[in-house]
Amino acid sequence: MPFIQPFLMSASVILPPSCIGIVGGGQLGRMFALEARRSGYRVAIFTDERPGCPAGQWADAEFNAQYDDTDMLDRFLDRVDVVTAEFENIPDACLAYVEAKKTLRPSRRAIWTTQHREREKLFLREQGIACADFRIVTSYEEFEAAVGALGRPCVIKTAAFGYDGKGQKKIEANTELDGVWTDFAGQHAVVEKWVPFVCEISVVGARGTDGRMAVHGVIENIHEHHILDLSISPARVEPAVQEQALELWEAVAEGLDYIGTMAVEMFVTDSGQVLVNEIAPRPHNSGHLTLDACLSNQFQQQMRAVCGLPLGDPSQHSPAVMINLLGDLWPAELTPPDWTPVLSHPRAKLHLYGKATARARRKMGHINVVGETLEEAWESALQIKAALNPGLS
Ligand code: AMP
């Protein structure tokens, strides 16, 4: 394989058993650690969670401290050869500290841009990337004017620390604006035109240090109470929609000069237009089906990109459906459901995140179901879901 030789000899390539640092301690870090360790890398995590968090359970070393604890950050950075992040809400001062001492992939700029809705939206506008029309508001007067300009319904979202529908409120025809503003006052917020979408999709892919990109196909997402419930791949959308979605993903990745795995969530309108909703600078919940359905899953791609290796083949070998497992499914905090319907199915796989205590809406794990056809995977997924929670089906 002569084409690989020069690449591996390049000084910037990070090979096993080098140590990859992960900032964050959740399930995305856990699945990344599992993937990287399988290839012989060592993994160290830095997190403000307690020891034994989901990622810590699989890491070689765990550094638990607040994100401004530079002594602990130094100890972590001494241990690692390269750093990545498993969530975006990391204080910028911490990202700056890390990037000053070690290579950070994706970069501080990419994480900084996408961790804040205002910066993310302005980036999309600057790049000419299609998204819902929006206004940035910092006062009640601006809020009122934005709602007037965009029309109702529209939605107001906090600029910082919003995810899974947290920190947002739909403005309906009869919504009193001053009541809504009380909750948002003092914060920057984004007011967005309401998109009457026909479906929500995401594209998960990776961009390597050489600028090459490899995307998994388009994934269809079904949310419940703003939290992902089911992901379906391939998405049941027209080829023109797929084409737009892939182009949008590439435009975002290039605009951010992105290195690593990235997900872009999008809306599909009834006229077949695709609009970017959100960018996740990391592997993504909707990409979990790549673990069992693709040649190189989203964490493998992240590992390769972060280490400067050529990306793997992202092709999907089996149609798949992912079922998210939220804490609501647990009969009691410490009592998991009866897993028989999943474990007895030959084409379903149970992925649990090692969280001892279940809470409502907490992401506890997921199930991937594959099939010869998407219909088969879909039918199996619905049966498993109904059997796990007969009360809700
Ligand atoms: P977000 O936290 O921005 O990803 O929003 C969570 C969910 O709220 C999305 O997955 C959509 O289902 C819905 N949503 C957010 N923004 C809009 C919008 N502008 N129009 C319609 N639905 C939206």
Side-chain angles (χ1 to χ4, degrees):
M1 293 181 288
F3 64 95
I4 290 180
Q5 296 299 328
F7 208 105
L8 291 185
M9 278 159 44
S10 142
S12 60
V13 170
I14 295 155
L15 294 170
S18 301
C19 186
I20 305 174
I22 307 174
V23 182
Q27 61 267 16
L28 298 172
R30 174 189 180 90
M31 287 181 269
F32 178 80
L34 275 161
E35 192 70 24
R37 292 195 65 175
R38 203 198 327 268
S39 292
Y41 285 100
R42 298 200 174 107
V43 172
I45 68 159
F46 185 96
T47 176
D48 65 356
E49 291 191 43
R50 275 179 291 181
C53 61
Q57 291 167 22
W58 286 102
D60 295 87
E62 191 174 353
F63 297 85
N64 307 83
Q66 296 304 305
Y67 289 105
D68 60 359
D69 184 335
T70 50
D71 291 339
M72 193 65 103
L73 272 171
D74 282 336
R75 287 177 53 198
F76 165 71
L77 292 169
D78 281 348
R79 180 76 179 255
V80 303
D81 298 288
V82 65
V83 182
T84 188
E86 67 107 47
F87 78 122
E88 56 273 34
N89 288 329
I90 301 166
D92 189 51
C94 175
L95 296 173
Y97 195 82
V98 169
E99 202 170 60
K101 299 198 170 198
K102 285 277 149 79
T103 301
L104 174 64
R105 291 177 177 150
S107 67
R108 172 188 173 197
R109 179 185 157 248
I111 299 172
W112 179 84
T113 306
T114 53
Q115 70 182 186
H116 190 268
R117 277 188 212 278
E118 177 179 343
R119 295 196 285 263
E120 183 173 278
K121 286 279 185 186
L122 292 173
F123 159 78
L124 293 171
R125 185 179 275 168
E126 263 162 41
Q127 300 283 320
I129 295 171
C131 62
D133 196 5
F134 69 93
R135 301 283 186 284
I136 310 289
V137 298
T138 57
S139 67
Y140 181 70
E141 290 66 37
E142 286 174 3
F143 174 44
E144 224 179 1
V147 174
L150 296 168
R152 297 176 186 232
C154 58
V155 55
I156 178 168
K157 303 178 177 182
T158 50
F161 301 116
Y163 65 96
D164 288 343
K166 288 184 188 146
Q168 61 177 271
K169 172 91 181 128
K170 187 174 177 184
I171 315 291
E172 307 273 10
N174 55 0
T175 307
E176 299 280 356
L177 294 189
D178 43 2
V180 172
W181 184 249
T182 314
D183 293 339
F184 285 82
Q187 303 180 43
H188 280 216
V190 176
V191 182
E192 228 176 77
K193 204 176 168 77
W194 189 254
V195 181
F197 56 79
V198 289
C199 75
E200 291 187 82
I201 56 175
S202 55
V203 176
V204 180
R207 186 167 177 275
T209 48
D210 55 2
R212 290 201 188 150
M213 295 181 268
V215 293
H216 304 286
V218 178
I219 300 167
E220 182 180 338
N221 299 317
I222 300 175
H223 293 84
E224 225 172 74
H225 308 299
H226 294 291
I227 302 181
L228 187 62
D229 183 33
L230 295 167
S231 287
I232 302 160
S233 185
R236 297 164 295 181
V237 293
E238 298 295 320
V241 166
Q242 300 206 17
E243 218 170 279
Q244 284 178 69
L246 298 177
E247 275 172 17
L248 288 170
W249 186 93
E250 290 195 2
V252 173
E254 285 187 334
L256 291 170
D257 198 15
Y258 196 85
I259 299 176
T261 290
M262 176 187 76
V264 180
E265 293 182 79
M266 308 172 196
F267 299 128
V268 183
T269 70
D270 52 4
S271 61
Q273 200 199 354
V274 184
L275 302 172
V276 169
N277 174 33
E278 249 192 337
I279 304 165
R282 51 175 168 78
H284 189 253
N285 199 161
S286 66
H288 292 348
L289 53 76
T290 64
L291 283 164
D292 296 305
C294 294
L295 291 173
S296 295
N297 68 59
Q298 62 170 349
F299 301 101
Q300 169 77 204
Q301 299 291 60
Q302 172 84 344
M303 177 194 91
R304 286 168 175 260
V306 166
C307 293
L309 298 169
L311 296 178
D313 181 347
S315 307
Q316 189 169 346
H317 52 71
S318 306
V321 176
M322 185 219 58
I323 307 167
N324 243 1
L325 297 171
L326 302 185
D328 311 60
L329 200 62
W330 268 234
E333 265 189 3
L334 302 173
T335 315
D338 173 3
W339 296 122
T340 308
V342 199
L343 297 177
S344 60
H345 193 292
R347 291 185 171 174
K349 279 198 191 151
L350 178 63
H351 298 255
L352 291 176
Y353 306 151
K355 299 180 185 178
T357 314
R359 284 195 301 272
R361 307 226 171 159
R362 189 174 197 202
K363 290 179 181 174
M364 300 296 287
H366 67 271
I367 296 166
N368 285 339
V369 190
V370 297
E372 290 286 333
T373 61
L374 186 58
E375 290 69 31
E376 184 199 319
W378 178 242
E379 280 307 315
S380 300
L382 291 187
Q383 282 168 13
I384 291 169
K385 197 165 185 273
L388 281 177
N389 198 345
L392 284 187
S393 59

